[in-house]
Amino acid sequence: MDDGVYVGNAGKDAALDRGWLLGHFKAEGGPLHSDAVEVKWGVHARGEQRAQWVQGEVRAALLVLISGRFRLEFPGRSVLLEEQGDYVVWGQGVDHSWTAEDESVVLTVRWPSVPGYAVSREEVQDGSP
């Protein structure tokens, strides 16, 4: 019976969809589908980085460091998250990229949930030795 409630494990569920737990890309009608917000449990190896900058961003975002060291790049500014709970928020129109300086786990919330920004697994660069 579908009661509109989903219970899962972020670490296990994240592996099914490149880390994304909730958003427009999940099955219509289910509790994980949302056009309002996206949530990602990102597990990144040391040296992993986004292959290309997000440009023309139409979403706002919150990224919270769970563990590790994670660097975000913005035009003219670099932000290093080092302590559990460090976070950064950026608004619509702010281009960005990222690099995992150590093995890292981050929680990302983006709003609204819109298509067009996915980078394939093959495009994420693994800079580990």
Side-chain angles (χ1 to χ4, degrees):
M1 178 171 124
D2 181 8
D3 61 0
V5 175
Y6 179 87
V7 177
N9 175 278
K12 292 176 183 174
D13 291 353
L16 303 175
D17 197 6
R18 295 179 301 119
W20 292 102
L21 303 174
L22 186 136
H24 74 275
F25 36 77
K26 296 296 188 176
E28 290 268 349
L32 301 179
H33 179 86
S34 173
D35 292 324
V37 67
E38 299 173 358
V39 177
K40 180 179 184 181
W41 182 260
V43 178
H44 302 285
R46 181 179 187 197
E48 187 179 337
Q49 59 188 14
R50 197 172 202 295
Q52 59 198 38
W53 277 65
V54 174
Q55 296 180 317
E57 179 64 83
V58 299
R59 303 161 301 181
L62 160 72
L63 187 141
V64 181
L65 181 69
I66 306 300
S67 63
R69 282 173 49 102
F70 200 80
R71 182 173 300 277
L72 289 115
E73 300 291 341
F74 301 99
R77 185 168 184 192
S78 181
V79 175
L80 179 62
L81 306 179
E82 299 180 87
E83 294 183 27
Q84 184 178 56
D86 284 353
Y87 69 94
V88 61
V89 177
W90 63 96
Q92 295 176 336
V94 178
D95 299 342
H96 66 279
S97 191
W98 56 260
T99 301
E101 292 196 352
D102 286 336
E103 184 174 310
S104 300
V105 177
V106 295
L107 178 72
T108 304
V109 180
R110 297 192 302 207
W111 61 96
S113 181
V114 295
Y117 291 91
V119 173
S120 69
R121 278 194 191 276
E122 294 77 36
E123 290 180 287
V124 173
Q125 297 175 357
D126 180 5
S128 59

